[in-house]
Structures are given as C-alpha cells and as structure tokens.
Amino acid sequence: MSAVTDTVKPQVAGSGISGSVRDSLVVAKRNLIRMTRIPEMILFGIIQPVMFVVLFTYVFGGSIAIPGAGVSADAYKEFLMAGIFAQTVTFATAGAGAGIADDMHKGLIDRFRSLPMARGAVLTGRTLADSVQTAITLAVLAVVALLVGWRTHTNIGEVLAGFGLLLLLGYAFTWIGALIGLSVRTPEAATSGGLIWLFPLTFISNAFVPVNGMPAFLQHVAEWNPFSATVAAARELFGNTIPGVPKSVTGAWPMEHPIWASLIWSILIIVVFRTLAVRKYRNASA
C-alpha cells in the first residue's frame, strides 16, 4: 500500500516588468478603494488649496508688483495660479508619507511581504494612488481658479502639458514622502517630516512673489529650485508670462529653459528617491 503525498507549490509572482506593473496596479486599486470609503481624505485635501487660492488672490493680489505689469490684481492672479497648483501637488508628499507610515505601523506591510509580489509594487502602487487623488484635487482647484478670474492664453495641448508637468512633479515628490514614511515610526512624525522641508522649498521660489525682490543669494537658490522650474514651465505653457520680461534675474539655466528643467528635475527626483525608498523598504522588511 503506497501513500500518496500532495505537494502544494507556492505561488510565484509574475516576473519582469509586466509582473511588477500588474502588482503595482493591484496595490494602487486597493488604495483608491480605501480613498472612496474615506471621502474626507479627498475633501480636506481640496479645502486647503482652495483657501490658498482665495486668500492669496484677494489679500495679496492688489499689493504685489509683478515685473512688467506693476501692482495689478489681474496680473497677480495669472502669476499666482501656477504657484498654487505646484504647491498643491507637492504638499501631497505629507499624505503619502503618513499613509505609508500608517501601513507600517499597522503591520500591513508585513502582510504584503507574505504575498508573491514584486517588492517595489507596494510603494509604486501607493504613489500612483496618491497621484490620482492629487489629479482630482488639481482639477477642482483649476475650476476654482477660473471662477476667481484666472485665464490661460494658449491652446488646450499646452495647457494639458502644463498640468502634466505639475502632476509629474507631484509624483516625484511622493517618492520623497514614501522615503520619509519608511524612515519614521508614526504617521504623525511622517506628516511633520513631510511638511517641515516643504515650506522653505515652496516659499524660496518664484511661486508667490517675483524673485527680483529677494536678496541676491536667495535669487540664485530660488532659480535653481526644482519647484521654481515647474512653476515657470507651467506659467509658460499656460501663457501666463509677460512678453518682454526676462525669464531669469540671475541667468540660471532652469529659468531660461523651464520646461526641460522641470522634466529633468522630476525624473531625477523619481530615480533617486524611488531607489532609496525601495532599498529602505527591502531593508525594513528583511
């Protein structure tokens, strides 16, 4: 009499790029479903940038001089909106970091480790889902901007390209948030760590005030700031620049070629911080 032993082979994750993409999309779907079940996550994410639009437009709009236009509320609206859009997509960094830190704290990452899936898929799926939420927020914010008087002066293709660059910057910064979320112990620490460096990054830039009013050393910092490059690129693609006004006060290459600079900065940030975040994830789950 012979015994028959059934051997159950472990499931193997899909190999190569296709398997990693599939796993990333599954994780992204999971996070998007979670967002729909907690609508206040999207609601609160929309309220803050809308408040910035209204406050900056009506509080500062008639008091800040724009090169080539002087003190003009209408000129400031067109100057401001690209900066507000860029601030909105970069502030999503804090949410991304807090979400990943929360998953780590609750042990969800350990559950993902037991599944046959690509290692980087957990982080990639999370950042993709955060980018979808950011796109929704950006769409609502654009409508609000139109209501307060902001206008574009280029064709639809250039306008969409401008929003594309903004979303690419936002996606790049979510990888910084992912690294922060993996490096701290609590979601609260991830939120604080995700915001503390964003304030100098966004304010020492060309987003809210012209660079020519800054001290000379800050002008160089502002014009080599990746954030400033995307803001300048968005303004150019939206047609919100003033003809005849120099693009740069220091001759910085990113300001002279903002579209290319924005692409290069965003891709560089993604490559560097995705590599660091995935490595940190692997070490944390080893």
Side-chain angles (χ1 to χ4, degrees):
M1 183 175 179
S2 59
V4 178
T5 303
D6 293 329
T7 302
V8 179
K9 295 183 180 181
Q11 198 175 7
V12 180
S15 59
I17 296 177
S18 62
S20 180
V21 169
R22 184 180 65 250
D23 294 341
S24 298
L25 292 177
V26 169
V27 176
K29 181 180 178 181
R30 171 256 174 191
N31 283 284
L32 289 173
I33 291 173
R34 179 172 177 266
M35 288 178 189
T36 61
R37 293 174 179 172
I38 313 176
E40 55 267 29
M41 291 175 61
I42 298 177
L43 179 62
F44 292 151
I46 291 173
I47 290 175
Q48 179 179 311
V50 168
M51 288 176 61
F52 272 113
V53 168
V54 175
L55 290 174
F56 272 85
T57 298
Y58 294 109
V59 175
F60 300 113
S63 59
I64 295 178
I66 305 300
V71 178
S72 167
D74 291 334
Y76 186 66
K77 288 175 187 176
E78 297 202 349
F79 176 87
L80 171 69
M81 290 310 165
I84 293 290
F85 294 152
Q87 183 193 52
T88 300
V89 300
T90 54
F91 270 42
T93 299
I100 290 174
D102 187 49
D103 287 344
M104 292 282 289
H105 184 68
K106 291 179 178 178
L108 184 63
I109 298 298
D110 291 332
R111 299 178 191 175
F112 281 133
R113 285 175 54 200
S114 65
L115 300 176
M117 62 190 302
R119 286 293 190 185
V122 174
L123 301 181
T124 301
R126 176 78 206 199
T127 55
L128 288 174
D130 288 331
S131 295
V132 172
Q133 181 179 353
T134 301
I136 295 171
T137 303
L138 198 58
V140 174
L141 193 58
V143 173
V144 174
L146 290 170
L147 291 176
V148 299
W150 171 69
R151 295 293 182 267
T152 60
H153 307 286
T154 53
N155 60 54
I156 186 64
E158 290 175 297
V159 172
L160 291 176
F163 282 114
L165 286 179
L166 289 164
L167 289 173
L168 182 63
L169 180 71
Y171 180 68
F173 273 47
T174 56
W175 281 107
I176 302 178
L179 181 61
I180 293 172
L182 291 168
S183 303
V184 299
R185 297 182 179 180
T186 64
E188 294 78 10
T191 301
S192 299
L195 288 175
I196 194 169
W197 60 275
L198 279 173
F199 281 103
L201 184 82
T202 54
F203 281 93
I204 305 177
S205 72
N206 60 358
F208 308 116
V209 295
V211 173
N212 63 344
M214 299 180 182
F217 75 96
L218 281 183
Q219 290 178 357
H220 290 278
V221 174
E223 293 203 330
W224 281 93
N225 184 343
F227 183 83
S228 293
T230 299
V231 172
R235 285 191 185 124
E236 186 172 305
L237 289 166
F238 294 155
N240 292 154
T241 57
I242 299 174
V245 176
K247 293 182 177 181
S248 171
V249 298
T250 67
W253 186 87
M255 294 298 98
E256 298 291 342
H257 308 87
I259 296 174
W260 282 108
S262 177
L263 282 170
I264 292 170
W265 274 122
S266 294
I267 293 171
L268 183 62
I269 291 169
I270 292 171
V271 170
V272 171
F273 283 93
R274 186 185 189 281
T275 301
L276 293 174
V278 172
R279 182 179 300 172
K280 183 75 175 179
Y281 171 77
R282 288 173 176 170
N283 291 339
S285 61

